[in-house]
Amino acid sequence: MDTLNSQYGISGALQFAYSGGNFPVAKIQTPWASARVALQGAQVLAWQPSAAAPVLWVSKAAVFEAGKPVRGGVPVCWPWFGAKDGASAHGFVRTRHWTVRETRLADDQSVLLCLGLSDDASTRTLWNHAFDLELQVSVGRTLTLQLITRNTGTEPFDITEALHTYFAVGDIGQTTVQGLDGTTYLDKVANLAQAQQSGPVSFSGETDRVYLNTTADCVIQDRANKRSIHVAKTGSGATVVWNPWSEREKAFADMAAGEYQQMLCVETANAGAAPITIAAGATHTLTACVSLES
Ligand code: TA6
């Protein structure tokens, strides 16, 4: 930790510390917002604009242990999104330790933290490809995440992926998501049946949908908190919307009873039937930019 701080700490703006015992995090403070980012999984755990309530949700029952996924914030799902036979859901990078590559204070006082991960013998047993993965986290008036995949091998590979963002909302029943009107989705609650969104997405039961062929920004209208959260994106052809609701929530040991009411995932993704193919030597960048609308 001392080495990390002397090499990458930024006085008054970024420092590394252990959270809850042995869970290393970067703590970021800017004039615009504060944030916390775990080195495990390059998982953003908090982003809170000054004078606003936290924008990201983390479960009260979340577990902060090496090798276990954390329920909340922005898990990075890669190189596959969702379930995969004989393998852990949502890929393997969310439970790995990422290394710090760069930190920087920008002219506008926003802070950049760049974390990286590349293949090794253990990742090759799970997914036999050479890769370099980088998450650039920019904390300022917006929270901007850029997930950069580089194929460092000699053959093309396919990925699906998501910035699986958990947002804090005041009351899911009074929350809607705009931006997906007319978009076809796969409904995971109905055996992946296809349906078409009509109007804003609203919530009255378990919702688990992959919206296909959409590059649109989304706006979460959080009426109970009297605010709107804007999610802009690039390099993403799908948006996932998830709330487990009361019954399904019980299946998650790392969610406390009733918490489904205060959370909503709107995920910037490449998922569904269309993976991203990355040629040898090429890169692909997935970007999500979160802001509060005034
Ligand atoms: O993004 C929605 C989803 O894929 C759901 O199907 C749901 O199970 C969720 O992610 C959480 O997955 P996790 O592996 O983190 O428990």
Side-chain angles (χ1 to χ4, degrees), residues 1 4-5 15-27 37 39:
M1 204 51 77
L4 264 185
N5 275 317
Q15 102 179 102
F16 296 93
Y18 285 112
S19 169
N22 197 22
F23 203 77
V25 296
K27 295 181 173 181
V37 185
L39 300 193

Side-chain angles (χ1 to χ4, degrees), residues 110-122:
S110 62
V111 168
L112 177 83
L113 167 65
C114 178
L115 300 170
L117 181 73
S118 48
D119 64 292
D120 60 21
S122 74

Side-chain angles (χ1 to χ4, degrees), residues 40-289:
Q40 172 170 293
Q43 187 161 345
V44 178
L45 296 173
W47 179 64
Q48 182 167 11
S50 314
V55 172
L56 302 180
W57 175 90
V58 176
S59 172
K60 293 184 186 78
V63 175
F64 297 92
E65 271 177 38
K68 298 215 168 134
V70 176
R71 178 75 54 206
V74 191
V76 175
C77 304
W78 189 98
W80 59 86
F81 173 82
K84 187 177 169 188
D85 279 348
S88 54
H90 292 322
F92 52 83
V93 303
R94 64 176 170 163
T95 53
R96 297 208 160 224
H97 182 83
W98 294 46
T99 54
V100 180
R101 292 185 175 171
E102 186 188 352
T103 57
R104 200 182 334 131
L105 188 59
D107 290 345
D108 68 353
Q109 302 296 303
S110 62
V111 168
L112 177 83
L113 167 65
C114 178
L115 300 170
L117 181 73
S118 48
D119 64 292
D120 60 21
S122 74
T123 66
R124 281 168 171 272
T125 64
L126 300 166
W127 193 67
N128 194 15
H129 297 284
F131 68 85
D132 183 76
L133 193 58
E134 193 161 287
L135 186 75
Q136 299 185 353
V137 182
S138 169
V139 176
R141 287 181 201 272
T142 67
L143 171 69
T144 303
L145 305 179
Q146 286 198 290
L147 181 66
I148 303 163
T149 303
R150 180 183 298 277
N151 180 345
T152 54
T154 53
E155 302 288 330
F157 61 58
D158 285 351
I159 58 161
T160 52
E161 58 184 344
L163 295 164
H164 192 305
T165 313
Y166 288 80
F167 290 99
V169 297
D171 175 5
I172 188 66
Q174 297 181 56
T175 301
T176 56
V177 179
Q178 291 178 333
L180 297 166
D181 186 22
T183 305
T184 299
Y185 61 89
L186 297 177
D187 192 346
K188 285 193 175 174
V189 177
N191 287 322
L192 296 176
Q194 281 204 12
Q196 199 179 37
Q197 183 62 39
S198 173
V201 187
S202 57
F203 301 90
S204 55
E206 182 183 356
T207 304
D208 193 351
R209 300 176 181 173
V210 181
Y211 286 86
L212 304 168
N213 300 316
T214 173
T215 56
D217 292 6
C218 284
V219 177
I220 300 168
Q221 303 236 279
D222 175 2
R223 288 184 186 77
N225 279 332
K226 296 189 174 55
R227 70 180 186 181
S228 298
I229 304 168
H230 193 113
V231 187
K233 63 176 191 166
T234 60
S236 161
T239 295
V240 179
V241 176
W242 181 55
N243 181 287
W245 216 254
S246 50
E247 273 310 300
R248 182 92 183 102
E249 173 192 76
K250 294 176 189 157
F252 299 101
D254 55 356
M255 274 186 82
E259 278 192 307
Y260 77 92
Q261 294 169 91
Q262 270 85 47
M263 56 77 71
L264 172 64
C265 288
V266 174
E267 308 167 31
T268 299
N270 287 299
I276 298 284
T277 300
I278 305 176
T283 60
H284 169 77
T285 302
L286 175 70
T287 305
C289 181

